[in-house]
C-alpha cells in the first residue's frame, strides 16, 4: 500500500488510505460521487496467490505466519471434546466475549477528538464493530452513527469527498450483519485504519494475579458506591 501511495504516484502520499480486502466497491457501470464519472474495471492478469504477493514484497513484509493447526481431527476431538462437539459435529458458531459499554462511548469521544478526513469511514465502521461487541441497542447505534456522521461531514474539505449516506450504510453493515472480524480486531489494525493512536492496557510491572486482584477490588468498590454489579451483562453468554 505504501508503495502504491508514494509521492511519484499520488498527490495524497502523506495521507495514505488503507482499504480492507472486504471493502465493498461500486459496481462497474454505476456512477460515483461525481455523477458524471462511471466506475470502470480492467482485467490485467491472472489471479495472484500469497506466493505471488510475497515475490513482489520486501522480505520483511512477506506473509509467512499463516496459522494452521497441526492437530488431526481425531487429536482435536480427544483434546477438546466439548469444542469438537459444538463446532465440528453440531456446526455451531464460534463463541465471543462481550465488552463493557464504556469502551463504545470512549471510542465516540476519540472520533470527535481525532478523526481526519481520509479516515472517517473506518472510524465510523469501528464504532459499529464496538456496538456489536458491547451489545448496544439498535436505536442507540443509529442515533450515535447519525450524529457522528453529521460531524464527519463538517470536516469535508473537497466537493467530491462528502461523507454520504452510502458511507453510513456501509459502516452500519458491520453492525447489522456482524462477521468474525467485527468481534476480533487487533488495536494495531484499528489504529492503522483510523489513524487514531491506541495503546494496550499495561499492568505497570505487576504480575497478572496481583493486577487482577487490584482490578476486582476497584470493581467491588465501584459496585458498592453505585449499587451495581459489574458482572451483570458481561462475560460469555451461555448457549
Amino acid at each position: 500500500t505504501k508503495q502504491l501511495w508514494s509521492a511519484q504516484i499520488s498527490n495524497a502520499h502523506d495521507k495514505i488510505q488503507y482499504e480492507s480486502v472486504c471493502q465493498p466497491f461500486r459496481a462497474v457501470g454505476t456512477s460515483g460521487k461525481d455523477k458524471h464519472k462511471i466506475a470502470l474495471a480492467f482485467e490485467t492478469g491472472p489471479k495472484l496467490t500469497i506466493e505471488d504477493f510475497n515475490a513482489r514484497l520486501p522480505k520483511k513484509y512477506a506473509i509467512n505466519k499463516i496459522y494452521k493447526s497441526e492437530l488431526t481431527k481425531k487429536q482435536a476431538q480427544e483434546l477438546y471434546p466439548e469444542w469438537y462437539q459444538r463446532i465440528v459435529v453440531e456446526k455451531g458458531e464460534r463463541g465471543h466475549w462481550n465488552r463493557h459499554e464504556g469502551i463504545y462511548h470512549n471510542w465516540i469521544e476519540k472520533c470527535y477528538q481525532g478523526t481526519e478526513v481520509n479516515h472517517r469511514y473506518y472510524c465510523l465502521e469501528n464504532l459499529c464493530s464496538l456496538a456489536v461487541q458491547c451489545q448496544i441497542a439498535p436505536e442507540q447505534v443509529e442515533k450515535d452513527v447519525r450524529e457522528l456522521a453529521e460531524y464527519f461531514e463538517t470536516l469535508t474539505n473537497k466537493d467530491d469527498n462528502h461523507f454520504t449516506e452510502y458511507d453510513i450504510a456501509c459502516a452500519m453493515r458491520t453492525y447489522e450483519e456482524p462477521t468474525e472480524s467485527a468481534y476480533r480486531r487487533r488495536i494495531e489494525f484499528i489504529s492503522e485504519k483510523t489513524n487514531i493512536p491506541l495503546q494496550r492496557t499495561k499492568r505497570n510491572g505487576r504480575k497478572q494475579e496481583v493486577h487482577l486482584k487490584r482490578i476486582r477490588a476497584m470493581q467491588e468498590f465501584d459496585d458498592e458506591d453505585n449499587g451495581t454489579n459489574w458482572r451483570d451483562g458481561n462475560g460469555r453468554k451461555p448457549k
Side-chain angles (χ1 to χ4, degrees):
T1 298
K2 292 182 179 179
Q3 291 176 328
L4 293 175
W5 282 76
S6 65
Q8 291 76 22
I9 297 176
S10 172
N11 57 11
H13 58 87
D14 57 336
K15 294 183 178 180
I16 298 176
Q17 296 184 42
Y18 295 90
E19 300 290 348
S20 166
V21 295
C22 299
Q23 171 71 13
F25 294 92
R26 291 180 174 83
V28 175
T30 61
S31 62
K33 291 183 178 179
D34 184 341
K35 301 301 181 183
H36 301 290
K37 295 181 179 179
I38 302 299
L40 303 175
F42 303 90
E43 183 176 355
T44 59
K47 293 181 180 179
L48 297 177
T49 64
I50 294 296
E51 290 72 21
D52 293 327
F53 280 112
N54 282 343
R56 292 167 169 79
L57 291 172
K59 288 186 177 180
K60 63 179 180 179
Y61 295 126
I63 303 172
N64 54 19
K65 293 184 179 180
I66 301 175
Y67 175 78
K68 184 177 181 180
S69 175
E70 296 180 354
L71 296 176
T72 64
K73 279 191 174 183
K74 185 175 181 180
Q75 290 173 325
Q77 183 179 16
E78 293 174 352
L79 290 172
Y80 312 106
E82 293 182 2
W83 171 88
Y84 188 90
Q85 178 65 29
R86 178 169 58 86
I87 299 298
V88 180
V89 178
E90 299 176 2
K91 308 296 183 183
E93 295 183 357
R94 185 177 181 180
H96 304 100
W97 291 94
N98 297 316
R99 306 180 71 183
H100 193 277
E101 185 177 340
I103 298 174
Y104 170 85
H105 294 294
N106 180 259
W107 181 252
I108 293 177
E109 292 301 317
K110 288 183 181 296
C111 287
Y112 278 113
Q113 295 170 7
T115 301
E116 297 178 351
V117 171
N118 293 328
H119 300 273
R120 292 176 295 181
Y121 167 76
Y122 284 111
C123 288
L124 194 66
E125 192 272 341
N126 191 63
L127 178 66
C128 294
S129 170
L130 290 173
V132 173
Q133 299 174 39
C134 300
Q135 296 185 306
I136 306 299
E139 299 79 10
Q140 183 67 42
V141 177
E142 178 75 20
K143 175 179 177 294
D144 294 335
V145 164
R146 290 288 172 183
E147 290 178 353
L148 197 55
E150 287 182 11
Y151 167 69
F152 284 173
E153 174 58 16
T154 67
L155 302 177
T156 299
N157 53 15
K158 293 182 180 179
D159 288 338
D160 62 348
N161 195 27
H162 288 281
F163 201 76
T164 66
E165 284 291 326
Y166 177 78
D167 296 315
I168 296 173
C170 289
M172 282 293 293
R173 189 178 302 168
T174 296
Y175 178 78
E176 295 166 348
E177 303 174 14
T179 62
E180 191 70 17
S181 65
Y183 288 94
R184 305 177 188 277
R185 296 187 175 185
R186 299 178 66 86
I187 63 171
E188 295 85 0
F189 171 85
I190 298 172
S191 291
E192 185 176 63
K193 293 289 187 179
T194 64
N195 206 36
I196 293 178
L198 297 172
Q199 293 183 340
R200 294 187 180 279
T201 302
K202 296 182 179 179
R203 300 201 297 263
N204 296 323
R206 304 184 190 93
K207 292 184 177 180
Q208 184 181 42
E209 183 179 356
V210 176
H211 178 73
L212 291 176
K213 284 183 178 179
R214 184 172 181 272
I215 293 299
R216 292 189 187 105
M218 293 172 62
Q219 289 169 334
E220 290 173 0
F221 176 83
D222 289 341
D223 285 346
E224 183 178 349
D225 188 49
N226 300 323
T228 58
N229 185 344
W230 69 271
R231 294 179 177 83
D232 291 343
N234 292 305
R236 188 171 180 174
K237 301 299 181 184
K239 292 291 184 180

